[in-house]
Amino acid sequence: MLDILIIALLAFLGAAVAGLLGALALRLLRHRSLVVTLAVVAAVAVLAMLLGTLAVAWEMFLSPHDLNVIVIVVAMAAVVSLATALLLGRWVVARSLALTEAARSFGDGGSFAAPARAATAELMALSAELESSSAKLAESRDRERALEASRRELVTWISHDLRTPLAGLRAMSEALEDGVATDPDRYLRQIRSEVERLDTLVGDLFELSRIHAGALVLSRARISVYDLVADAMAGADPLAREHGVRLVGEAVDRVPVEVDSREMSRVLGNLLVNAIHRTPSDGTVAVAARRTDGGVVLSVTDRCGGIPEDELPRVFDTGWRGNHARTPPAGAGLGLAIVAGIVEAHQGRAAVRNVTGGCRFEVTLPAARPRGWPPEAPPPGPPPRCSGSVPPPTRG
């Protein structure tokens, strides 16, 4: 038993010496190729076996012939091990270089294509991650291009919408100043109207900048969707009467939501004003609210004739107006962008789809957690006219 322990100790000491030498070599060669690293690992394994064998042979007083045989066997094992390590290293390095070459492509705006040749599990996992990153980068580039195009379009429309009223204000003020205005009161009313329009535009820009900066602070409170819709319809009713459009409250469920009532009134006001301006005279704008498995869905349906299918994905983009909205009162194309921003801040989503004769804007909000309110909801019905009002809405 003692002999076995001595042999094990000597073998361990020889392997430990080889391991220390290998660790030192790996540290010195840590910046070299993977081929060198694998060769060092194979050499350490063979050297550990050789040193242990020589120590045991020396202790056991083996004959020179037996010792030569052991050395020859170990040497042959070393040759095969080093050759295998070099081949394996070159194979792994070749796959790594192919992966590196493929990775260079999507960094300059291209797409990543994984090498066709088989590789190790780790390299395959890395390749899958690079493919995923390439797809995300492509989506990001497309989104950035779309945002840049949206910004340019917004600047164009804002410049147009500012230049037109400013030119009118200058002309009217000069006419008043020179005393050539035939109807000063009408000029003053027109000046006030243009100033209000500019104030609304500046307010929309400020609201949109807060949304994009993530600085929109919500004061959530529990409120019935029925009351929210009723107030919004009451605020938009004078504009609807002016344009000869009928506002209709379809099935409006009395379900609670936890929202910022002021911001959500702005959302509904923007959608209603947008629908009224797009609906011809004697048309109908329908408002509905219902509870679904996904939350509470508020919808505004107009009779605009529909939106081209290729433009539907851009409806909520900043600056979008559509081909039919090239002149006032189309506005600067901020209303629907503000709608989407406010709804997303409430963890909801805004969508639009074409229906017969027009389009339907839908806002989905998370339903408030039930707390026994209301105890018994009355059957759905059209919301009553109420005296509430909404903040000055914008036109999308």
Side-chain angles (χ1 to χ4, degrees):
M1 185 64 182
L2 182 59
D3 293 341
I4 298 297
L5 292 176
I6 294 175
I7 292 173
L9 179 60
L10 292 175
F12 173 76
L13 291 175
V17 172
L20 291 174
L21 293 175
L24 179 61
L26 289 175
R27 180 175 178 81
L28 295 176
L29 301 174
R30 61 184 180 275
H31 298 302
R32 301 297 296 275
S33 171
L34 181 62
V35 177
V36 176
T37 301
L38 290 177
V40 170
V41 172
V44 167
V46 174
L47 182 61
M49 183 177 63
L50 178 60
L51 292 179
T53 302
L54 291 176
V56 172
W58 181 268
E59 183 65 23
M60 294 178 64
F61 301 103
L62 293 180
S63 64
H65 177 270
D66 296 338
L67 186 58
N68 290 336
V69 170
I70 292 175
V71 172
I72 292 173
V73 171
V74 172
M76 293 300 101
V79 171
V80 174
S81 299
L82 289 175
T84 303
L86 292 175
L87 290 176
L88 176 62
R90 290 177 62 84
W91 183 81
V92 174
V93 167
R95 270 57 181 177
S96 299
L97 292 176
L99 187 60
T100 302
E101 188 65 27
R104 287 197 185 100
S105 59
F106 76 90
D108 298 328
S111 58
F112 176 79
R117 293 183 295 177
T120 63
E122 291 78 9
L123 291 179
M124 292 176 63
L126 178 59
S127 178
E129 288 297 326
L130 288 174
E131 282 186 314
S132 177
S133 299
S134 175
K136 292 178 181 178
L137 283 174
E139 293 177 1
S140 178
R141 284 192 293 265
D142 293 340
R143 186 165 55 249
E144 183 64 27
R145 283 193 288 266
L147 287 174
E148 184 61 29
S150 177
R151 292 189 194 100
R152 289 196 296 268
E153 188 174 7
L154 175 62
V155 170
T156 301
W157 285 117
I158 291 295
S159 301
H160 174 270
D161 288 343
L162 287 176
R163 186 180 295 112
T164 301
L166 287 176
L169 289 172
R170 174 182 293 178
M172 288 183 287
S173 63
E174 290 177 352
L176 290 172
E177 184 179 5
D178 296 338
V180 297
T182 58
D183 189 353
D185 291 338
R186 183 175 66 85
Y187 275 45
L188 291 174
R189 289 194 299 270
Q190 185 65 24
I191 288 174
R192 180 176 180 178
S193 175
E194 294 295 343
V195 169
E196 289 177 351
R197 179 182 169 193
L198 290 174
D199 181 69
T200 300
L201 178 59
V202 172
D204 289 344
L205 287 171
F206 179 72
E207 181 78 3
L208 194 63
S209 67
R210 286 200 305 158
I211 292 172
H212 287 173
L216 182 64
V217 179
L218 301 178
S219 300
R220 296 176 183 265
R222 194 178 182 91
I223 186 174
S224 169
V225 172
Y226 187 88
D227 296 334
L228 195 65
V229 171
D231 288 349
M233 291 183 65
D237 186 61
L239 182 65
R241 292 178 183 274
E242 179 184 346
H243 286 75
V245 175
R246 291 182 296 112
L247 290 181
V248 177
E250 295 182 342
V252 179
D253 295 342
R254 293 178 181 263
V255 293
V257 288
E258 292 182 357
V259 297
D260 187 317
S261 58
R262 180 179 181 276
E263 296 295 342
M264 285 310 303
S265 294
R266 184 177 189 126
V267 166
L268 289 176
N270 284 3
L271 292 178
L272 285 172
V273 170
N274 186 72
I276 291 170
H277 281 297
R278 300 297 182 270
T279 299
S281 182
D282 295 331
T284 300
V285 172
V287 185
R290 68 186 189 280
R291 183 163 190 165
T292 65
D293 295 337
V296 179
V297 179
L298 293 86
S299 63
V300 175
T301 305
D302 58 34
R303 291 293 178 265
C304 66
I307 299 174
E309 293 294 332
D310 59 337
E311 292 190 13
L312 283 176
R314 295 196 55 211
V315 167
F316 294 100
D317 289 352
T318 302
W320 181 87
R321 301 190 187 197
N323 294 330
H324 62 291
R326 294 301 179 187
T327 57
L334 305 181
L336 294 179
I338 291 174
V339 166
I342 294 175
V343 171
E344 290 172 2
H346 284 83
Q347 288 77 52
R349 64 182 182 276
V352 60
R353 58 189 176 91
N354 287 323
V355 295
T356 303
C359 58
R360 176 173 298 160
F361 288 84
E362 293 183 345
V363 171
T364 303
L365 298 172
R369 290 176 296 180
R371 295 185 299 187
W373 182 91
E376 291 184 0
R385 303 295 184 193
C386 42
S387 58
S389 61
V390 295
T394 58
R395 299 152 188 166

